[in-house]
């Protein structure tokens, strides 16, 4: 068992012991608002154990506070009843006389003393637990569970993290980040279905929901058990709720000092307020998390479910009891009357008469009706408003005048509602016209040519690049911190990036593999910069395209940083090349968005017109930008809205090279309209001003690019400082050579792309390997005395298949090869050819025919590069291709050297032939070349035939 697990268990054990001790009255609980503040402070410090300890204690102490207050008030009500005989007075009945009145108030004072003593003993001074409205709101919103799910996740207690997350989400069903967290938890190993609990669920409500579920599945016997439990658990919670209504008087907005009521008026006001609260307990107990409204007629509905469940369980006596109990609430219900008549026939009238309604419901209804009469009296006489929460209340309980008044009020309300409806229709019409105008303006801007848009549109700052145009500013987009740019990329770049997205993007990338994370009518796919570069390194996608992804996103970062005139640098927070594809069969009657309206660094609560900047939102994000790659699709417009998430303030139509940039805060709620046809692709970028939150994958991508850069390029650029070394011939075969160098045999002609190297040095994709420890690519050749090969042919063992290149050349006959070699040696001795200059390598002397062939091959290389890796390797399976870390490619792990050698190719080389070439030919050629080179360098004649070819396939002419 790990140390962290032991610590968690000890913490939970401590919390349990503290809670038990406080319940028994052994200690005074700490104020839960103070514990909550300590937990929040620890959260931002990353002290997860302190978060758990304080937040769990805060939740327990809040529950304990309610429980102790209710217990004290209920106990004191039982001990100080008003029906007791008072010595010298007898039964104190208020209104019977002054002495009796004093006896009544004596009972009240005793009860007050009892409650005060009980609460002080168990809770301490009443000011100790005076909680602010703000903290109480946080607990009603279940915010503590949001912090707890993060803390438990950090210490890898997944079961508790899931329970906390589910508890918070049930009360906040619109919280998208928590929804994503729960989806993530469902896919994690070790998470059980039973972990998704509601830790705040009342026992009666949990039993009711489970019984209702079994009832719907026709498991009536199982439903009876849970529904009876719900009835049993309902009344203790109901009495506790009513007891808590006997608190201090709420002055409801007007100043305490202005309240001038006399003794009996003040008593009446406080009593009616308490009574009103008690009546509304039925609504509180009928409410469950995630439901907008309470269950209507909750308690009567329990007996409705029970009577039918008992009937289907063939327990007709209980069915009679529950039917009669239900009729106490709704005596005129015809359906229930028919049911009762049927049950009576089955049971027998004599037996049915002996079965009575449940006594607890009789007392409940009697007390509730008396309270309603008092409340209606206060409504009629004192004007204290009362809204009856029960639909079963008989009409005659309400006074006639009040019924007539309420009827008139309902008619007035209906008329006002109709007028408001007409007004809202007019407002909607105006909003639609405004949106249409905004959309038309965006369309005109996107369709019209923009040669002078930069001069006509006011700029917040420079965009650094001349070809980029500011199409719309914040003012034109009806907001702040917004900009629309065009010309950021060319059409060719857009097409290349679009192809990259389809080749490299993975379904559900960034959303834990969910193919449709935002809309079930669309398919989502994406790829990050690092993943694209790794695929390019492995040859799965063009490395040039992956590099373009990196460079273009960097370009956008610079433009956003410059335009918004930021004094501190922007860092990448996340980079994502994404595509949304419409699913054709799911577009009918579609009304959702491709991406719901949201803000990038805060949790948008559209119902309250608020955006709360708190975890789990990405609060570190400061700016965002989207670069669009195509426009050949339907729908998919980008929209800015108000905080309500519905009122559209600006619409942007995507097109190639267009960028929309904006601040990531609550000033810019945004979304994407439904993509109804084809595919919409873009590069989504998020930026931060905090370097601590810089994208780690971005840093790794930069390092990978540095490693992928050829070291030979850097060596070539440094040759100017050491030209004497650069012109020396290589006499030892231990030096590396590039694809343009050749160790020439005096009897064998070689082309410009052939090279003989030693296995101790790295080689590039187009270098030829003549040693048996190195593989060869499609452009390499192993030459021996009896065989002639061209630049695109490879001589291999008879038992191995020969890899064919994309294009081939005709082989020269041996006689022509000897003549060409002899001519080359003569020209070298006469110093009429220019040498090829390269750092630390032997220069190459070519004949006229060879040079012509080189020029042709150089052009061919520039237009269509040969493949770096052989695709159809011998004995290679699809499994090998899929496994990039396979042991058949150990040398690719060294990323600092661009070795593309593959051991699966090594056996293609004939060991005998390669060794013969090395031993019998190489040294002679080296000596001849060395002599020729020294002479050629001294005279340096003019020649346009010799070329120096670098590994980037660009020919650079050098004249000495």
């Amino acid at each position: 068992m790990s140390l962290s697990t032991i610590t968690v268990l000890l913490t939970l054990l401590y919390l349990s012991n503290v809670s038990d001790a406080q319940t028994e009255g052994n200690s005074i609980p700490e104020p839960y608002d103070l514990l909550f503040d300590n937990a929040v402070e620890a959260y931002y410090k990353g002290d997860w154990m302190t978060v758990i300890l304080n937040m769990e204690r805060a939740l327990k102490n809040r529950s304990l506070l309610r429980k102790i207050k209710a217990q004290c008030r209920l106990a004191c009500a039982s001990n100080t009843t008003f029906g007791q005989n008072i010595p010298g007075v007898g039964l104190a009945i208020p209104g019977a006389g002054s002495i009796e009145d004093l006896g009544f108030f004596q009972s009240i004072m005793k009860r007050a003393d009892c409650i005060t003593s009980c609460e002080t003993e168990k809770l301490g001074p009443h000011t100790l637990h005076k909680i602010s409205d703000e903290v109480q709101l946080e607990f009603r919103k279940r915010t503590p569970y949001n912090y707890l799910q993060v803390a438990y996740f950090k210490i890898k207690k997944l079961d508790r993290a899931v329970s906390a997350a589910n508890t918070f989400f049930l009360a906040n069903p619109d919280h998208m980040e928590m929804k994503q967290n729960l989806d993530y938890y469902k896919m994690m190993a070790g998470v059980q279905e039973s972990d998704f609990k509601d830790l705040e669920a009342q026992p009666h409500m949990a039993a009711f929901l489970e019984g209702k579920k079994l009832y719907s599945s026709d498991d009536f016997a199982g439903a009876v058990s849970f529904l009876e439990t719900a009835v049993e658990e309902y009344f203790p919670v109901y009495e506790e709720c009513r007891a808590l209504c006997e608190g201090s008087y709420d002055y409801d907005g007007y100043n305490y000092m202005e309240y001038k009521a006399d003794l009996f008026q003040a008593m009446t006001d406080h009593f009616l307020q308490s009574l009103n609260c008690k009546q509304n307990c039925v609504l509180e107990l009928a409410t469950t998390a995630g439901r907008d409204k309470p269950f209507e007629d909750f308690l009567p509905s329990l007996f409705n479910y029970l009577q039918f469940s008992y009937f289907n369980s063939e327990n007709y006596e209980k069915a009679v009891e529950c039917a009669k109990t239900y009729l106490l609430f709704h005596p005129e219900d015809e359906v229930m009357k028919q049911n009762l008549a049927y049950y009576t026939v089955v049971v027998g009238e004599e037996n049915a008469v002996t079965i009575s309604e449940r006594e607890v419901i009789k007392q409940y209804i009697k007390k509730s009706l008396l309270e309603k009469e008092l409340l209606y009296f206060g409504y009629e006489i004192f004007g204290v408003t009362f809204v009856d929460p029960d639909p079963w209340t008989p009409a005659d309980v309400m006074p006639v005048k009040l019924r007539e008044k309420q009827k008139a009020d309902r008619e007035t309300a209906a008329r006002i509602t109709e007028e408001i409806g007409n007004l809202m229709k007019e407002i909607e019409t105006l909003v639609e016209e405004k949106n249409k105008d905004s959309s038309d303006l965006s369309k005109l801007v996107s369709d019209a040519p923009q040669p002078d848009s930069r001069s006509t549109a006011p700029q917040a700052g420079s965009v650094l690049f001349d070809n980029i145009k500011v199409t719309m500013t914040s003012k034109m987009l009806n907001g702040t911190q917004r900009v629309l740019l065009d010309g950021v990329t060319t059409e060719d770049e857009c097409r290349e990036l679009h192809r990259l997205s389809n080749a490299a993007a993975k379904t559900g990338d960034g959303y834990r593999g969910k193919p449709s994370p935002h809309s079930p009518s669309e398919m989502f796919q994406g790829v990050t910069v690092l993943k694209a570069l790794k695929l390019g390194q492995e040859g799965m996608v063009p490395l040039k395209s992956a590099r373009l992804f990196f460079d273009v996103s960097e370009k956008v970062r610079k433009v956003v940083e410059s335009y918004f005139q930021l004094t501190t640098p922007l860092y990448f927070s996340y980079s994502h090349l994404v595509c949304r594809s419409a699913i054709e069969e799911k577009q009918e009657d579609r009304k959702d968005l491709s991406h719901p309206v949201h803000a990038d660094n805060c949790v948008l609560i559209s119902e309250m017109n608020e955006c709360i900047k708190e975890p789990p939102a990405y609060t570190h994000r400061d700016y965002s930008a989207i670069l669009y790659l195509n426009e050949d699709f339907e729908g998919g417009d980008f929209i800015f809205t108000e905080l309500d998430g519905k009122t559209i303030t600006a619409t942007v139509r995507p097109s190639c090279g267009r960028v929309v940039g904006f601040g990531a805060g609550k000033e810019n709620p945004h979304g994407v309209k439904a993509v109804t046809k084809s595919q919409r692709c873009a590069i989504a970028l998020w930026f931060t001003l905090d370097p601590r939150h810089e994208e780690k994958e971005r840093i790794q991508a930069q390092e990978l690019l540095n490693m992928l850069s050829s070291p030979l390029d850097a060596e070539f650029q440094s040759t100017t400082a050491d030209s004497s070394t650069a012109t020396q011939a290589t006499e030892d075969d231990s030096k590396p050579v590039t694809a343009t160098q050749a160790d020439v045999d005096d009897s064998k002609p070689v082309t410009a792309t052939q090279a003989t190297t030693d296995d101790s040095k790295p080689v590039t994709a187009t270098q030829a390997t003549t040693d048996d420890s190195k593989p060869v690519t499609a452009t390499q050749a192993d030459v021996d005395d009896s065989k002639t090969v061209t630049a695109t042919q490879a001589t291999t063992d008879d038992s191995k298949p020969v890899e064919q290149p994309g294009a081939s050349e005709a082989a020269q006959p041996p006689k022509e090869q000897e003549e060409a070699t002899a001519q080359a040696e003569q020209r070298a001795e006469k110093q009429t050819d220019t040498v090829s200059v390269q750092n630390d390598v032997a220069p190459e002397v070519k004949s006229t025919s060879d040079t012509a062939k080189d020029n042709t091959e150089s052009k061919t290389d520039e237009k269509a590069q040969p493949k770096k890796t052989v695709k159809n390797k011998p004995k290679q399976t699809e499994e090998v291709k899929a496994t990039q870390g396979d042991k058949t490619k150990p040398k690719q792990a060294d990323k600092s050297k661009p070795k593309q050698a593959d051991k699966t190719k090594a056996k293609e080389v004939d060991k005998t032939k390669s060794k013969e070439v090395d031993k019998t030919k190489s040294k002679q050629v080296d000596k001849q070349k060395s002599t020729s080179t020294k002479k050629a360098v001294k005279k340096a004649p003019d020649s346009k035939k010799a070329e120096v070819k670098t590994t980037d396939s660009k020919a650079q002419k050098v004249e000495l």
Side-chain angles (χ1 to χ4, degrees):
M1 185 178 294
S2 64
L3 180 61
S4 60
T5 304
I6 295 174
T7 306
V8 172
L9 293 176
L10 291 175
T11 301
L12 297 177
L13 180 62
Y14 168 75
L15 289 174
S16 177
N17 292 336
V18 168
S19 178
D20 294 341
Q22 291 172 345
T23 304
E24 295 170 1
N26 297 334
S27 62
I28 295 175
E30 294 181 69
Y32 67 85
D33 59 342
L34 179 61
L35 294 169
F36 176 77
D37 291 341
N38 293 338
V40 172
E41 183 179 354
Y43 177 89
Y44 288 104
K45 293 179 180 179
D47 187 356
W48 309 119
M49 294 305 302
T50 303
V51 173
I52 294 171
L53 179 65
N54 285 278
M55 202 65 82
E56 290 284 11
R57 289 175 62 192
L59 289 167
K60 289 183 178 296
N61 285 6
R62 177 175 180 265
S63 177
L64 183 63
L65 181 66
R66 291 170 55 87
K67 187 175 182 180
I68 289 176
K69 286 185 175 182
Q71 287 176 348
C72 287
R73 291 169 187 176
L74 291 173
C76 291
S78 300
N79 295 334
T80 57
T81 57
F82 293 106
Q84 293 178 346
N85 288 322
I86 299 176
V89 178
L91 187 62
I93 302 176
S98 58
I99 296 178
E100 287 77 6
D101 288 349
L102 290 174
F104 170 75
F105 283 107
Q106 182 182 11
S107 298
I108 292 178
M109 294 173 69
K110 284 185 176 181
R111 178 179 293 190
D113 175 58
C114 175
I115 294 173
T116 302
S117 300
C118 179
E119 291 184 355
T120 302
E121 178 185 356
K122 296 182 178 182
L123 299 176
H126 71 280
T127 55
L128 181 64
H129 297 281
K130 190 174 183 180
I131 312 299
S132 66
D133 294 338
E134 291 78 8
V135 174
Q136 291 186 46
L137 176 62
E138 293 297 327
F139 277 81
R140 285 196 296 270
K141 289 164 53 181
R142 300 189 178 183
T143 302
Y145 291 100
N146 195 355
Y147 291 97
L148 280 173
Q149 71 97 12
V150 176
Y152 277 124
F153 178 79
K154 292 291 186 180
I155 65 171
K156 299 180 180 180
K157 293 293 293 181
L158 291 182
D159 55 340
R160 293 184 176 273
V162 171
S163 298
N166 190 63
T167 302
F168 176 81
F169 181 71
L170 288 174
N172 303 271
D174 295 329
H175 202 286
M176 297 306 298
E177 285 75 14
M178 191 60 73
K179 183 177 184 299
Q180 293 175 1
N181 289 349
L182 287 172
D183 292 339
Y184 175 69
Y185 286 136
K186 290 176 182 178
M187 296 185 294
M188 294 185 69
V191 176
Q192 306 295 328
E193 186 68 27
S194 58
D195 294 334
F196 293 84
K197 305 174 184 176
D198 182 6
L199 301 176
E200 289 283 323
Q202 294 280 11
H204 74 281
M205 182 57 68
F208 168 72
L209 294 175
E210 188 63 29
K212 187 170 177 287
K213 185 188 298 183
L214 295 173
Y215 178 95
S216 300
S217 61
D218 294 339
D219 183 3
F220 299 104
V224 165
S225 175
F226 283 100
L227 292 172
E228 287 288 7
T229 301
V231 174
E232 183 180 348
E233 295 286 350
Y234 180 88
F235 289 100
V237 181
Y238 175 71
E239 293 299 331
E240 179 180 311
C241 175
R242 289 172 59 86
L244 292 174
C245 288
E246 297 173 354
S248 59
Y249 182 68
D250 183 3
Y251 289 91
D252 197 20
Y254 57 85
N255 194 301
Y256 171 79
M257 299 302 294
E258 296 176 359
Y259 185 67
K260 303 297 182 182
D262 60 18
L263 172 63
F264 290 100
Q265 180 63 55
M267 290 173 60
T268 300
D269 290 342
H270 199 165
F271 177 70
L272 289 175
Q273 187 181 88
S274 174
L275 215 54
N276 204 331
C277 173
K278 291 179 179 181
Q279 280 286 305
N280 280 284
C281 280
V282 296
L283 297 180
E284 182 176 330
L285 270 64
T287 303
T288 184
R291 188 178 167 89
D292 296 335
K293 297 179 180 179
F295 288 101
E296 186 176 359
D297 215 13
F298 178 74
L299 188 57
S301 68
L302 282 173
F303 291 95
N304 193 359
Y305 282 114
L306 278 169
Q307 62 90 19
F308 195 72
S309 297
Y310 278 124
F311 161 70
N312 283 279
S313 302
E314 299 183 358
N315 190 339
Y316 299 108
E317 289 81 3
K318 282 290 186 181
V320 170
E321 180 191 47
C322 292
K324 286 186 176 182
T325 303
Y326 179 85
L327 287 172
L328 290 176
F329 294 102
H330 300 284
E332 303 301 326
D333 191 308
E334 293 297 331
V335 174
M336 191 59 69
K337 286 182 179 179
Q338 293 174 10
N339 289 351
L340 179 58
Y342 176 81
Y343 302 150
T344 301
V345 171
V346 174
V347 174
E349 290 188 6
E350 294 182 359
N351 293 331
V353 170
T354 60
I355 301 173
S356 62
E357 305 86 351
R358 296 196 182 185
E359 187 64 28
V360 64
I361 300 299
K362 289 182 181 179
Q363 297 299 323
Y364 170 85
I365 292 176
K366 182 179 180 181
K367 181 169 58 176
S368 182
L369 290 176
L370 288 173
E371 290 177 349
K372 293 178 192 295
E373 290 178 0
L374 290 173
L375 286 166
Y376 279 126
F377 179 81
Y379 191 179
E380 183 180 22
I381 303 302
F382 303 109
V384 180
T385 305
F386 169 62
V387 178
D388 194 348
D390 294 316
W392 54 264
T393 304
D396 56 0
V397 173
M398 183 184 297
V400 177
K401 291 183 179 179
L402 191 55
R403 287 203 300 269
E404 294 175 352
K405 181 178 181 297
Q406 285 197 347
K407 181 180 178 181
D409 291 342
R410 284 194 298 269
E411 292 175 353
T412 303
R415 186 175 65 254
I416 294 174
T417 302
E418 183 179 0
E419 293 175 355
I420 291 175
N422 295 333
L423 181 61
M424 290 301 296
K425 290 181 180 178
E426 295 178 5
I427 294 173
E428 289 176 1
T429 303
L430 292 174
V431 170
E432 289 177 359
E433 292 176 355
K434 179 182 177 181
N435 292 339
K436 183 181 179 183
D437 293 341
S438 176
S439 179
D440 292 343
L441 177 61
S442 300
K443 186 176 181 181
L444 287 173
V445 170
S446 62
D447 294 341
Q450 302 291 334
D452 300 325
S453 61
R454 199 159 56 124
S455 60
T456 57
Q459 299 185 37
S462 170
V463 292
L464 296 180
F465 301 91
D466 293 337
N467 59 323
I468 298 179
K469 304 172 181 64
V470 179
T471 303
M472 300 182 78
T473 60
S474 295
K475 185 176 181 181
M476 298 170 69
L477 290 169
N478 303 316
T480 58
Q481 292 285 290
R482 300 176 182 177
V483 66
L484 186 65
L485 307 170
D486 279 309
V488 178
T489 56
T490 65
E491 292 286 346
D492 291 340
E493 290 173 335
C494 286
R495 282 192 292 270
E496 185 171 354
L497 290 169
H498 196 169
R499 287 193 296 267
L500 175 66
S501 68
N502 288 318
K506 181 181 178 183
T507 302
D509 184 72
Y511 291 91
R512 303 175 182 92
K514 293 184 63 177
S516 302
H518 304 302
S519 169
S521 303
E522 295 178 16
M523 186 73 70
F524 181 92
Q525 62 187 43
V527 64
T528 61
V529 171
L530 181 61
K531 291 178 183 177
L533 285 171
K534 285 184 176 180
L535 290 173
Q537 179 193 17
E538 296 161 0
M540 306 299 292
V541 300
L543 184 57
K544 176 184 174 184
S545 301
R547 178 61 188 259
L548 178 62
F549 179 13
F550 182 92
D551 293 341
V552 164
S553 55
E554 177 63 23
K555 182 179 182 180
V556 174
R557 185 196 66 80
K558 292 179 180 178
V559 170
V560 171
E561 182 180 278
S562 174
Y563 180 82
F564 289 114
Q565 298 179 329
L566 302 179
T567 57
T568 56
L570 274 182
Y571 301 91
F572 283 96
S573 172
Y574 193 58
S575 312
H576 213 195
L577 173 57
V578 299
C579 290
R580 306 167 187 271
S581 303
I583 303 175
E584 293 183 6
E585 60 271 17
K586 295 185 179 181
Q587 300 305 314
E588 187 176 356
D589 299 329
R590 184 178 174 187
K591 297 180 180 180
D592 64 340
L593 295 176
S594 175
H595 198 139
V597 175
H598 63 283
D600 285 341
N601 71 1
C602 55
V603 179
L604 181 64
I605 305 176
S606 56
E607 295 79 5
M608 302 174 62
N609 284 345
E610 288 185 6
C611 197
I612 302 174
K613 194 170 183 178
E614 66 178 14
Y618 300 102
T619 56
H620 56 273
R621 292 177 177 174
D622 297 297
Y623 287 89
S624 306
I626 303 170
L627 168 63
Y628 299 107
L629 304 179
N630 67 317
E631 56 193 47
D632 53 342
F633 54 88
E634 294 181 7
D637 289 352
F638 179 91
I639 56 174
F640 286 110
T641 72
E642 299 286 359
L643 281 171
D644 59 7
K646 300 176 182 178
T647 306
I648 298 176
T649 58
T651 302
V652 175
R653 178 62 189 170
S655 62
C656 170
R658 172 165 288 181
V659 168
V660 57
F662 50 92
K666 66 178 183 180
E667 70 277 3
N668 287 316
H670 56 279
V672 179
K673 290 185 177 180
V675 179
T676 56
K677 186 176 181 181
S678 194
Q679 186 184 61
R680 174 189 188 271
C681 293
I683 296 178
L685 303 168
W686 292 270
F687 307 105
T688 179
L689 295 170
D690 188 348
R692 295 176 299 174
H693 294 284
E694 184 177 5
E695 185 181 11
K696 300 300 184 292
E697 281 201 8
R698 189 83 187 185
I699 299 172
Q700 295 172 8
Q702 180 65 69
E703 294 174 351
L704 180 58
L705 279 175
N706 294 339
M707 288 187 287
L708 289 176
S709 299
S710 174
L712 295 175
D713 291 344
E715 292 177 6
F716 177 73
Q717 294 173 1
S718 65
T719 55
T720 55
D722 193 9
S723 60
S724 61
T725 305
T727 59
Q728 293 179 355
T730 304
E731 298 182 359
D732 191 301
D733 60 352
S734 64
K735 297 290 183 179
V737 293
T738 63
T740 60
Q741 298 167 346
D743 292 321
V744 184
D745 183 19
D746 58 348
S747 63
K748 300 287 189 296
V750 294
T751 62
T753 58
Q754 295 171 336
T756 303
T757 61
D758 182 71
D759 60 351
S760 63
K761 295 295 179 179
V763 293
T764 61
T766 57
Q767 293 170 346
T769 306
T770 59
D771 186 69
D772 61 348
S773 64
K774 291 290 180 178
V776 293
T777 63
T779 59
Q780 297 167 344
D782 291 311
V783 184
D784 75 334
D785 296 336
S786 61
K787 294 188 179 181
T788 303
V789 295
T790 62
T792 57
Q793 293 173 333
T795 303
T796 61
D797 193 286
D798 295 338
S799 63
K800 302 293 181 180
V802 178
E803 181 62 37
Q804 297 298 330
S808 63
E809 298 180 5
Q812 293 182 353
K815 184 177 181 180
E816 292 178 1
Q817 293 176 4
E818 293 176 0
E819 292 176 357
T821 305
Q823 291 176 6
E825 292 175 358
Q826 291 174 5
R827 288 192 181 92
E829 292 175 357
K830 293 179 181 180
Q831 302 174 2
T832 57
D833 286 2
T834 306
V835 296
S836 299
V837 181
Q838 178 69 28
N839 187 29
D840 292 337
V841 297
E844 179 186 2
V845 182
K846 302 183 181 69
S847 64
T848 305
S849 61
D850 292 335
T851 305
K853 185 183 294 184
D854 290 349
N855 292 336
T856 303
E857 292 171 352
S858 176
K859 293 177 181 178
T860 303
D861 290 342
E862 292 175 6
K863 294 180 180 178
Q865 286 290 330
K867 298 179 181 178
K868 293 186 177 182
T869 55
V870 180
K871 295 297 181 182
N872 51 347
K873 301 173 185 176
K875 298 182 181 180
Q876 189 181 35
T877 63
E878 293 299 325
E879 183 180 358
V880 175
K881 294 181 180 179
T883 309
Q884 300 300 331
D886 197 282
K887 295 181 180 180
T888 59
K889 296 184 180 181
K891 293 189 178 181
Q892 289 187 356
D894 186 3
K895 298 180 180 178
S896 61
K897 297 181 180 181
K899 294 184 180 180
Q900 307 233 351
D902 193 328
K903 288 186 177 181
T904 59
K905 299 180 184 178
K907 293 183 180 180
E908 296 179 6
V909 183
D910 190 333
K911 298 180 180 181
T912 304
K913 295 177 183 178
S914 61
K915 290 180 179 180
E916 288 177 357
V917 173
D918 287 346
K919 293 179 179 180
T920 61
K921 306 297 180 183
S922 298
K923 294 184 179 180
Q924 297 177 5
V925 175
D926 289 342
K927 291 180 180 180
Q928 293 173 0
K929 287 194 296 180
S930 176
T931 305
S932 301
T933 302
K934 293 178 180 179
K935 294 179 181 180
V937 171
K938 289 180 180 179
K939 293 188 177 182
D942 293 333
S943 176
K944 298 182 180 179
K945 297 178 181 178
E947 294 180 350
V948 176
K949 298 181 181 180
T950 59
T951 56
D952 60 359
S953 302
K954 295 181 179 179
Q956 301 179 8
K957 295 183 179 181
V958 179
E959 295 183 0
L960 301 179

